[in-house]
Amino acid sequence: MNRKLFALLAVLILASVVLSACGSATPTEAPATAAPTEAPTAAGAAACKPAGTEPIAFPAGGKSVTGAWSQEPDNIVPYYTQMSYAIWITQLTLVGLGEWDDKGAFVPELAADVPTADNGGVSADGLTITWKLKPCLFWSDGEPLTSADVKFTWQSIMDPKNVPLSRVGYDKIASIDTPDDQTVVIKFSELYPGWQTLFTQGPNNSGAILPKHVLDGKTGLEKDPFTHQPTVFSGPFAITEWVAGDHMTLLPNPNFYKGRAKLDQVQIKFVPDPETALAGLKTGDIDWYPDFSESDIPTIKALEPNIHLLVKPGFDFEHYFFNLGTTAGVTLPDGTVVGKSDVDGFCPFKDIRVRKAITLGINRQAIADTLLNGATKVPATQWPNSTWTNASLTPDAYDPTTAAALLDEAGYKVGADGIRAGTCDGKPVKLSFNFETTNKQIRVDAALAAQSDLKKIGIEFKPIHTPAGTFFASYTDGGNMPLGKFDMAGYTTGFYPDPMTGVLDSYSCSAVPSKDSPSGTNNYHICDPKLDDLMKAVNASVDPAVRKTALDAVQKYIFDQYYVVMMYVRANVYGYVDRFVPASFSFTSNMNWNAEDWTVK
C-alpha cells in the first residue's frame, strides 16, 4: 500500500519553476539537488567500467538484517503490481530517474540533476522535460544503463501487447529522443503537471527504469518471469534467492550508482501476520517489521529500549468502496460508449441513498478509537494530512436513524429475517452483499464492527478475507477487483507525491478494467463523465492555486456522491530491534528509499 507531512508536496516547487519561466507565477525556492554532472570525456568514457557482474557474496561475519513481511510480493516490476510490499522491494532493487527524500524533496537518483526551467530541463511551455543521466551507470550484470533504457521503459508501457496496470501520464508523452547515452528528451502532447512521478520510483509512484538488453523484443511482460523475479538490478540490492512462502535473500549490487551498500545482506521472512512478526522481534529472530497497526502502538512502546517504535503519520487512508460497474457503459453526448465493465455491480449501490446510508450506518470513529487506539481519525476526503485537502468538508457522523430513513425512502423495508428488501431495476433484491478485503487482523476486526453496525439498520454485510497476493491480483491474474467480481471491497491507498498520483487511475472512465481494456486500476468501476471533467481541470494548469481550487471541486463531488466510505487515516508503524539502525526517512519516501545506508550496531 504507499508518503513530507503537512507540507506542500514537491511537485509544487517544479510547477512554480515552470511558471516562472512563463512569467505567470511567483517563483518558489527549488529543492536542493545535486550539481549537474558533466558528460565524461572520450577518455573518461573509456575508463567507465562496472565494479562487477554478480551480486557481492555474503562474507563470513558480515552485517545482515532480517525483516518480516506479512504479504509476499506478487511481482517486483512496479508497472505490474499494486501491492505496497512489492513496491517496497522495488525500492530496494530497481531505481528511477529521481525519488523523494527524507525531507519530502524531489531529488535525483539515476539522473545527474532534477530538470528545472533554470537549468534548461523544463521548457518554457512545460511540454518538454530533459533529463541528464549520471555518467558510468551500469546494471548489476555489468551492462551499461543508458537513456535507451528510459525510452524502452516508456515503449514497453505503451506497447499494446503488454498489460501494465496503468498508462496514466505515460500516455501523455508524444515522443522520447535520446541524442546520446546520457540525455533523455521527453516531449508531452499536453501539459502534465505530475511529470515528476514518471520514470521515478517511490513508495506510492512506481516508475523504475527497465533493462532494454534483457526485455527488448519481449511482449506479454505481465506474465514474463522477469516481472516476478528480475534477473538484473539497478538498486542497492539484488534478489539472489526467493523461496515462495518462506523467505527472500538480497545481496549488495556491485554497480549501484552510490556504491556498495553498508549491509552485506538483507533477509525478508514471509510471516502470516503482524503477531508472528512481533514474536520474532521479541526473540531476536526478526530485526524489523514495517506494517504494524496503530492498535499495536502501546504494545510496541512497552518493549522499549530493546525494541523501538517509530510512527510516521501520512497521506494514506483505509477506505471501503462500492462496485459501480456497468456492462452497458456510459454513453457520452457524441455517442461514444465508455467505462464498460465485464460485470454489473450490485444494483442497489447505484442509488446514492443506499451509499449514504451505509456510510452513516458504520460507526467509523468508534472503530478508529477502539481498534486503532485513538491514534488516527476519520477523514472527509482522500487527501488527509495534506495541504491539498478540502478543509471545508467534514466527515459524516455515525447516524443510524438517518441511515434507516434513507433506506426506507429508497424502498428497502426490513423483512422477517431482519434484512431489508426492495426492488432495483424492476427486480427483487435484498440488501445482502459480500465485502472483500485482506486477512490482516485489523481489517478482520474492523469488518466485524461494520457488520454489527449495519445489521442494526437491516443490512447484511458479509466479510470475505483473502491473502493479499490474491486480493490485489491484476486483471490478467484473475483478480476479483479488476474483474468486477465483488460487491464491496476495502484497502489502504493514498494520492501523492503529486496530488493527482493514482487519482485518474482510480476514477477515470478510461481506467475501468475489462476484457477489452485490461489495463487500468479503477477498482471502483466508476464511470462518471462529470467527475472525469473535474479531474482533467486539476491537470490543466501547473499553477498550485488553480490546481488546489480544481482539486477542491473533485473532493466535494466525490464526497457528495458518497462514492467511497472513508474509514480512517493510516500511519506507517514500525517496530525494530536496537541493533538495527535504519537511515532517516519520511512517510513520502518510506524507509526503503535509502536502504544502502542501513547498518547495524
mmCIF file of all heavy atoms in Angstrom, residues 155-193:
data_model
loop_
_atom_site.group_PDB
_atom_site.id
_atom_site.type_symbol
_atom_site.label_atom_id
_atom_site.label_comp_id
_atom_site.label_asym_id
_atom_site.label_seq_id
_atom_site.Cartn_x
_atom_site.Cartn_y
_atom_site.Cartn_z
ATOM 1 N N GLN A 155 8.315 2.737 -24.022
ATOM 2 C CA GLN A 155 7.779 1.950 -25.128
ATOM 3 C C GLN A 155 7.117 0.667 -24.641
ATOM 4 O O GLN A 155 6.072 0.259 -25.162
ATOM 5 C CB GLN A 155 8.903 1.626 -26.118
ATOM 6 C CG GLN A 155 9.413 2.852 -26.870
ATOM 7 C CD GLN A 155 10.641 2.557 -27.709
ATOM 8 O OE1 GLN A 155 11.469 1.707 -27.350
ATOM 9 N NE2 GLN A 155 10.782 3.264 -28.822
ATOM 10 N N SER A 156 7.714 0.038 -23.620
ATOM 11 C CA SER A 156 7.129 -1.199 -23.108
ATOM 12 C C SER A 156 5.799 -0.935 -22.406
ATOM 13 O O SER A 156 4.867 -1.737 -22.494
ATOM 14 C CB SER A 156 8.103 -1.899 -22.150
ATOM 15 O OG SER A 156 8.180 -1.237 -20.900
ATOM 16 N N ILE A 157 5.705 0.202 -21.704
ATOM 17 C CA ILE A 157 4.451 0.551 -21.030
ATOM 18 C C ILE A 157 3.347 0.797 -22.058
ATOM 19 O O ILE A 157 2.195 0.386 -21.871
ATOM 20 C CB ILE A 157 4.654 1.804 -20.155
ATOM 21 C CG1 ILE A 157 5.601 1.493 -19.003
ATOM 22 C CG2 ILE A 157 3.319 2.325 -19.624
ATOM 23 C CD1 ILE A 157 6.091 2.722 -18.267
ATOM 24 N N MET A 158 3.697 1.454 -23.149
ATOM 25 C CA MET A 158 2.703 1.823 -24.157
ATOM 26 C C MET A 158 2.441 0.731 -25.173
ATOM 27 O O MET A 158 1.483 0.820 -25.950
ATOM 28 C CB MET A 158 3.149 3.108 -24.870
ATOM 29 C CG MET A 158 3.248 4.330 -23.958
ATOM 30 S SD MET A 158 1.737 4.631 -23.009
ATOM 31 C CE MET A 158 0.555 4.871 -24.336
ATOM 32 N N ASP A 159 3.255 -0.314 -25.197
ATOM 33 C CA ASP A 159 3.068 -1.416 -26.151
ATOM 34 C C ASP A 159 1.738 -2.117 -25.868
ATOM 35 O O ASP A 159 1.530 -2.641 -24.774
ATOM 36 C CB ASP A 159 4.224 -2.413 -26.012
ATOM 37 C CG ASP A 159 4.226 -3.463 -27.113
ATOM 38 O OD1 ASP A 159 3.158 -3.734 -27.704
ATOM 39 O OD2 ASP A 159 5.301 -4.036 -27.381
ATOM 40 N N PRO A 160 0.816 -2.141 -26.831
ATOM 41 C CA PRO A 160 -0.484 -2.783 -26.599
ATOM 42 C C PRO A 160 -0.382 -4.281 -26.349
ATOM 43 O O PRO A 160 -1.351 -4.900 -25.889
ATOM 44 C CB PRO A 160 -1.258 -2.485 -27.887
ATOM 45 C CG PRO A 160 -0.218 -2.200 -28.917
ATOM 46 C CD PRO A 160 0.921 -1.561 -28.189
ATOM 47 N N LYS A 161 0.779 -4.863 -26.624
ATOM 48 C CA LYS A 161 0.964 -6.294 -26.361
ATOM 49 C C LYS A 161 1.365 -6.565 -24.910
ATOM 50 O O LYS A 161 1.516 -7.724 -24.519
ATOM 51 C CB LYS A 161 2.013 -6.867 -27.317
ATOM 52 C CG LYS A 161 1.586 -6.822 -28.780
ATOM 53 C CD LYS A 161 2.664 -7.377 -29.694
ATOM 54 C CE LYS A 161 2.243 -7.302 -31.156
ATOM 55 N NZ LYS A 161 3.310 -7.806 -32.066
ATOM 56 N N ASN A 162 1.559 -5.510 -24.135
ATOM 57 C CA ASN A 162 1.785 -5.636 -22.701
ATOM 58 C C ASN A 162 0.565 -5.081 -21.956
ATOM 59 O O ASN A 162 -0.144 -4.227 -22.484
ATOM 60 C CB ASN A 162 3.036 -4.864 -22.269
ATOM 61 C CG ASN A 162 4.298 -5.406 -22.912
ATOM 62 O OD1 ASN A 162 4.437 -6.618 -23.122
ATOM 63 N ND2 ASN A 162 5.229 -4.521 -23.230
ATOM 64 N N VAL A 163 0.345 -5.552 -20.736
ATOM 65 C CA VAL A 163 -0.822 -5.104 -19.969
ATOM 66 C C VAL A 163 -0.366 -4.559 -18.613
ATOM 67 O O VAL A 163 -0.513 -5.209 -17.576
ATOM 68 C CB VAL A 163 -1.835 -6.255 -19.766
ATOM 69 C CG1 VAL A 163 -3.115 -5.714 -19.116
ATOM 70 C CG2 VAL A 163 -2.170 -6.925 -21.080
ATOM 71 N N PRO A 164 0.205 -3.355 -18.596
ATOM 72 C CA PRO A 164 0.544 -2.732 -17.307
ATOM 73 C C PRO A 164 -0.733 -2.347 -16.577
ATOM 74 O O PRO A 164 -1.800 -2.230 -17.188
ATOM 75 C CB PRO A 164 1.350 -1.501 -17.714
ATOM 76 C CG PRO A 164 0.808 -1.148 -19.066
ATOM 77 C CD PRO A 164 0.488 -2.457 -19.728
ATOM 78 N N LEU A 165 -0.612 -2.118 -15.277
ATOM 79 C CA LEU A 165 -1.795 -1.739 -14.512
ATOM 80 C C LEU A 165 -2.305 -0.364 -14.903
ATOM 81 O O LEU A 165 -3.491 -0.070 -14.801
ATOM 82 C CB LEU A 165 -1.483 -1.766 -13.012
ATOM 83 C CG LEU A 165 -1.271 -3.150 -12.413
ATOM 84 C CD1 LEU A 165 -0.930 -3.047 -10.943
ATOM 85 C CD2 LEU A 165 -2.503 -4.017 -12.598
ATOM 86 N N SER A 166 -1.402 0.496 -15.354
ATOM 87 C CA SER A 166 -1.808 1.841 -15.735
ATOM 88 C C SER A 166 -0.829 2.414 -16.758
ATOM 89 O O SER A 166 0.358 2.084 -16.741
ATOM 90 C CB SER A 166 -1.856 2.754 -14.504
ATOM 91 O OG SER A 166 -2.081 4.098 -14.886
ATOM 92 N N ARG A 167 -1.346 3.264 -17.620
ATOM 93 C CA ARG A 167 -0.517 4.029 -18.554
ATOM 94 C C ARG A 167 -0.677 5.534 -18.318
ATOM 95 O O ARG A 167 -0.179 6.339 -19.106
ATOM 96 C CB ARG A 167 -0.885 3.691 -20.001
ATOM 97 C CG ARG A 167 -0.595 2.245 -20.406
ATOM 98 C CD ARG A 167 -0.828 2.022 -21.896
ATOM 99 N NE ARG A 167 -0.389 0.712 -22.328
ATOM 100 C CZ ARG A 167 -1.178 -0.358 -22.470
ATOM 101 N NH1 ARG A 167 -2.483 -0.228 -22.193
ATOM 102 N NH2 ARG A 167 -0.698 -1.518 -22.854
ATOM 103 N N VAL A 168 -1.383 5.886 -17.253
ATOM 104 C CA VAL A 168 -1.671 7.306 -16.977
ATOM 105 C C VAL A 168 -0.368 8.100 -16.870
ATOM 106 O O VAL A 168 0.553 7.718 -16.157
ATOM 107 C CB VAL A 168 -2.500 7.460 -15.695
ATOM 108 C CG1 VAL A 168 -2.576 8.926 -15.272
ATOM 109 C CG2 VAL A 168 -3.910 6.912 -15.904
ATOM 110 N N GLY A 169 -0.308 9.198 -17.573
ATOM 111 C CA GLY A 169 0.883 10.045 -17.605
ATOM 112 C C GLY A 169 1.799 9.661 -18.743
ATOM 113 O O GLY A 169 2.199 10.504 -19.547
ATOM 114 N N TYR A 170 2.125 8.390 -18.812
ATOM 115 C CA TYR A 170 2.968 7.914 -19.918
ATOM 116 C C TYR A 170 2.239 8.069 -21.254
ATOM 117 O O TYR A 170 2.869 8.262 -22.295
ATOM 118 C CB TYR A 170 3.364 6.459 -19.690
ATOM 119 C CG TYR A 170 4.233 6.266 -18.472
ATOM 120 C CD1 TYR A 170 3.690 5.868 -17.252
ATOM 121 C CD2 TYR A 170 5.599 6.519 -18.524
ATOM 122 C CE1 TYR A 170 4.485 5.720 -16.125
ATOM 123 C CE2 TYR A 170 6.397 6.374 -17.400
ATOM 124 C CZ TYR A 170 5.836 5.981 -16.202
ATOM 125 O OH TYR A 170 6.629 5.849 -15.095
ATOM 126 N N ASP A 171 0.899 8.000 -21.213
ATOM 127 C CA ASP A 171 0.124 8.175 -22.439
ATOM 128 C C ASP A 171 0.050 9.633 -22.879
ATOM 129 O O ASP A 171 -0.471 9.930 -23.960
ATOM 130 C CB ASP A 171 -1.280 7.591 -22.278
ATOM 131 C CG ASP A 171 -2.081 8.238 -21.142
ATOM 132 O OD1 ASP A 171 -1.525 9.101 -20.427
ATOM 133 O OD2 ASP A 171 -3.249 7.855 -20.947
ATOM 134 N N LYS A 172 0.566 10.554 -22.065
ATOM 135 C CA LYS A 172 0.621 11.969 -22.459
ATOM 136 C C LYS A 172 1.943 12.306 -23.149
ATOM 137 O O LYS A 172 2.152 13.446 -23.571
ATOM 138 C CB LYS A 172 0.451 12.869 -21.235
ATOM 139 C CG LYS A 172 -0.810 12.603 -20.416
ATOM 140 C CD LYS A 172 -2.069 12.759 -21.230
ATOM 141 C CE LYS A 172 -3.304 12.524 -20.357
ATOM 142 N NZ LYS A 172 -4.552 12.512 -21.191
ATOM 143 N N ILE A 173 2.843 11.337 -23.219
ATOM 144 C CA ILE A 173 4.132 11.553 -23.869
ATOM 145 C C ILE A 173 3.983 11.340 -25.374
ATOM 146 O O ILE A 173 3.508 10.295 -25.822
ATOM 147 C CB ILE A 173 5.203 10.605 -23.303
ATOM 148 C CG1 ILE A 173 5.440 10.907 -21.814
ATOM 149 C CG2 ILE A 173 6.510 10.717 -24.084
ATOM 150 C CD1 ILE A 173 6.374 9.925 -21.126
ATOM 151 N N ALA A 174 4.379 12.344 -26.152
ATOM 152 C CA ALA A 174 4.303 12.236 -27.612
ATOM 153 C C ALA A 174 5.521 11.515 -28.178
ATOM 154 O O ALA A 174 5.413 10.731 -29.127
ATOM 155 C CB ALA A 174 4.176 13.626 -28.232
ATOM 156 N N SER A 175 6.691 11.784 -27.577
ATOM 157 C CA SER A 175 7.915 11.151 -28.075
ATOM 158 C C SER A 175 9.008 11.273 -27.024
ATOM 159 O O SER A 175 8.946 12.115 -26.133
ATOM 160 C CB SER A 175 8.390 11.808 -29.381
ATOM 161 O OG SER A 175 8.780 13.165 -29.148
ATOM 162 N N ILE A 176 10.010 10.404 -27.153
ATOM 163 C CA ILE A 176 11.211 10.494 -26.334
ATOM 164 C C ILE A 176 12.413 10.407 -27.271
ATOM 165 O O ILE A 176 12.537 9.458 -28.049
ATOM 166 C CB ILE A 176 11.284 9.368 -25.276
ATOM 167 C CG1 ILE A 176 10.170 9.541 -24.241
ATOM 168 C CG2 ILE A 176 12.645 9.369 -24.595
ATOM 169 C CD1 ILE A 176 10.197 8.510 -23.125
ATOM 170 N N ASP A 177 13.274 11.411 -27.207
ATOM 171 C CA ASP A 177 14.501 11.424 -28.002
ATOM 172 C C ASP A 177 15.690 11.147 -27.099
ATOM 173 O O ASP A 177 15.731 11.581 -25.939
ATOM 174 C CB ASP A 177 14.685 12.776 -28.689
ATOM 175 C CG ASP A 177 13.565 13.085 -29.669
ATOM 176 O OD1 ASP A 177 13.060 12.139 -30.308
ATOM 177 O OD2 ASP A 177 13.189 14.271 -29.786
ATOM 178 N N THR A 178 16.666 10.442 -27.638
ATOM 179 C CA THR A 178 17.883 10.117 -26.883
ATOM 180 C C THR A 178 19.097 10.491 -27.732
ATOM 181 O O THR A 178 19.722 9.623 -28.355
ATOM 182 C CB THR A 178 17.920 8.626 -26.518
ATOM 183 O OG1 THR A 178 17.750 7.831 -27.702
ATOM 184 C CG2 THR A 178 16.798 8.271 -25.542
ATOM 185 N N PRO A 179 19.434 11.775 -27.766
ATOM 186 C CA PRO A 179 20.537 12.214 -28.625
ATOM 187 C C PRO A 179 21.888 11.618 -28.234
ATOM 188 O O PRO A 179 22.797 11.549 -29.055
ATOM 189 C CB PRO A 179 20.524 13.731 -28.452
ATOM 190 C CG PRO A 179 19.810 13.982 -27.173
ATOM 191 C CD PRO A 179 18.801 12.897 -27.066
ATOM 192 N N ASP A 180 22.025 11.199 -26.973
ATOM 193 C CA ASP A 180 23.234 10.497 -26.556
ATOM 194 C C ASP A 180 22.863 9.598 -25.380
ATOM 195 O O ASP A 180 21.722 9.593 -24.910
ATOM 196 C CB ASP A 180 24.359 11.468 -26.183
ATOM 197 C CG ASP A 180 23.966 12.458 -25.088
ATOM 198 O OD1 ASP A 180 23.602 12.001 -23.988
ATOM 199 O OD2 ASP A 180 24.008 13.680 -25.340
ATOM 200 N N ASP A 181 23.817 8.833 -24.889
ATOM 201 C CA ASP A 181 23.537 7.832 -23.860
ATOM 202 C C ASP A 181 23.096 8.430 -22.530
ATOM 203 O O ASP A 181 22.529 7.721 -21.689
ATOM 204 C CB ASP A 181 24.781 6.956 -23.624
ATOM 205 C CG ASP A 181 24.997 5.946 -24.733
ATOM 206 O OD1 ASP A 181 24.090 5.784 -25.568
ATOM 207 O OD2 ASP A 181 26.082 5.322 -24.762
ATOM 208 N N GLN A 182 23.343 9.723 -22.333
ATOM 209 C CA GLN A 182 23.018 10.320 -21.046
ATOM 210 C C GLN A 182 21.886 11.333 -21.113
ATOM 211 O O GLN A 182 21.535 11.912 -20.083
ATOM 212 C CB GLN A 182 24.257 11.015 -20.460
ATOM 213 C CG GLN A 182 25.340 10.043 -19.983
ATOM 214 C CD GLN A 182 26.562 10.791 -19.486
ATOM 215 O OE1 GLN A 182 27.527 10.975 -20.215
ATOM 216 N NE2 GLN A 182 26.492 11.234 -18.246
ATOM 217 N N THR A 183 21.299 11.529 -22.260
ATOM 218 C CA THR A 183 20.274 12.561 -22.420
ATOM 219 C C THR A 183 18.937 11.945 -22.817
ATOM 220 O O THR A 183 18.860 11.149 -23.755
ATOM 221 C CB THR A 183 20.688 13.597 -23.466
ATOM 222 O OG1 THR A 183 21.970 14.146 -23.105
ATOM 223 C CG2 THR A 183 19.673 14.722 -23.554
ATOM 224 N N VAL A 184 17.882 12.329 -22.081
ATOM 225 C CA VAL A 184 16.519 11.865 -22.357
ATOM 226 C C VAL A 184 15.646 13.091 -22.539
ATOM 227 O O VAL A 184 15.472 13.878 -21.599
ATOM 228 C CB VAL A 184 15.976 11.007 -21.202
ATOM 229 C CG1 VAL A 184 14.574 10.506 -21.524
ATOM 230 C CG2 VAL A 184 16.912 9.844 -20.888
ATOM 231 N N VAL A 185 15.113 13.286 -23.733
ATOM 232 C CA VAL A 185 14.260 14.435 -24.022
ATOM 233 C C VAL A 185 12.824 13.936 -24.177
ATOM 234 O O VAL A 185 12.495 13.250 -25.142
ATOM 235 C CB VAL A 185 14.704 15.167 -25.301
ATOM 236 C CG1 VAL A 185 13.822 16.397 -25.540
ATOM 237 C CG2 VAL A 185 16.174 15.565 -25.213
ATOM 238 N N ILE A 186 11.986 14.283 -23.195
ATOM 239 C CA ILE A 186 10.599 13.813 -23.179
ATOM 240 C C ILE A 186 9.695 14.942 -23.651
ATOM 241 O O ILE A 186 9.672 16.025 -23.056
ATOM 242 C CB ILE A 186 10.193 13.373 -21.757
ATOM 243 C CG1 ILE A 186 11.135 12.286 -21.249
ATOM 244 C CG2 ILE A 186 8.746 12.883 -21.739
ATOM 245 C CD1 ILE A 186 10.907 11.910 -19.800
ATOM 246 N N LYS A 187 8.959 14.696 -24.715
ATOM 247 C CA LYS A 187 8.038 15.698 -25.258
ATOM 248 C C LYS A 187 6.604 15.247 -25.014
ATOM 249 O O LYS A 187 6.200 14.169 -25.446
ATOM 250 C CB LYS A 187 8.292 15.889 -26.753
ATOM 251 C CG LYS A 187 9.685 16.432 -27.050
ATOM 252 C CD LYS A 187 9.914 16.632 -28.540
ATOM 253 C CE LYS A 187 11.306 17.189 -28.798
ATOM 254 N NZ LYS A 187 11.575 17.390 -30.246
ATOM 255 N N PHE A 188 5.857 16.082 -24.286
ATOM 256 C CA PHE A 188 4.480 15.762 -23.948
ATOM 257 C C PHE A 188 3.519 16.322 -24.996
ATOM 258 O O PHE A 188 3.757 17.389 -25.561
ATOM 259 C CB PHE A 188 4.120 16.331 -22.572
ATOM 260 C CG PHE A 188 4.729 15.570 -21.425
ATOM 261 C CD1 PHE A 188 6.002 15.867 -20.962
ATOM 262 C CD2 PHE A 188 4.027 14.535 -20.816
ATOM 263 C CE1 PHE A 188 6.568 15.170 -19.917
ATOM 264 C CE2 PHE A 188 4.585 13.828 -19.766
ATOM 265 C CZ PHE A 188 5.853 14.139 -19.311
ATOM 266 N N SER A 189 2.430 15.605 -25.221
ATOM 267 C CA SER A 189 1.416 16.064 -26.164
ATOM 268 C C SER A 189 0.519 17.126 -25.534
ATOM 269 O O SER A 189 -0.131 17.898 -26.237
ATOM 270 C CB SER A 189 0.557 14.890 -26.632
ATOM 271 O OG SER A 189 -0.036 14.227 -25.515
ATOM 272 N N GLU A 190 0.474 17.142 -24.192
ATOM 273 C CA GLU A 190 -0.282 18.158 -23.464
ATOM 274 C C GLU A 190 0.352 18.332 -22.095
ATOM 275 O O GLU A 190 1.167 17.515 -21.661
ATOM 276 C CB GLU A 190 -1.748 17.751 -23.316
ATOM 277 C CG GLU A 190 -1.962 16.457 -22.572
ATOM 278 C CD GLU A 190 -3.421 16.028 -22.546
ATOM 279 O OE1 GLU A 190 -3.923 15.567 -23.597
ATOM 280 O OE2 GLU A 190 -4.044 16.163 -21.470
ATOM 281 N N LEU A 191 -0.016 19.391 -21.414
ATOM 282 C CA LEU A 191 0.565 19.673 -20.108
ATOM 283 C C LEU A 191 0.291 18.527 -19.150
ATOM 284 O O LEU A 191 -0.838 18.035 -19.049
ATOM 285 C CB LEU A 191 -0.038 20.965 -19.556
ATOM 286 C CG LEU A 191 0.723 21.660 -18.421
ATOM 287 C CD1 LEU A 191 2.091 22.127 -18.919
ATOM 288 C CD2 LEU A 191 -0.093 22.847 -17.906
ATOM 289 N N TYR A 192 1.325 18.090 -18.439
ATOM 290 C CA TYR A 192 1.166 17.038 -17.431
ATOM 291 C C TYR A 192 1.920 17.465 -16.186
ATOM 292 O O TYR A 192 3.120 17.202 -16.044
ATOM 293 C CB TYR A 192 1.670 15.690 -17.950
ATOM 294 C CG TYR A 192 1.310 14.557 -17.019
ATOM 295 C CD1 TYR A 192 -0.017 14.159 -16.881
ATOM 296 C CD2 TYR A 192 2.272 13.913 -16.257
ATOM 297 C CE1 TYR A 192 -0.378 13.149 -16.015
ATOM 298 C CE2 TYR A 192 1.926 12.898 -15.376
ATOM 299 C CZ TYR A 192 0.596 12.518 -15.263
ATOM 300 O OH TYR A 192 0.254 11.511 -14.386
ATOM 301 N N PRO A 193 1.239 18.141 -15.234
ATOM 302 C CA PRO A 193 1.918 18.679 -14.051
ATOM 303 C C PRO A 193 2.614 17.634 -13.197
ATOM 304 O O PRO A 193 3.570 17.948 -12.484
ATOM 305 C CB PRO A 193 0.775 19.356 -13.273
ATOM 306 C CG PRO A 193 -0.265 19.660 -14.298
ATOM 307 C CD PRO A 193 -0.189 18.532 -15.277
#
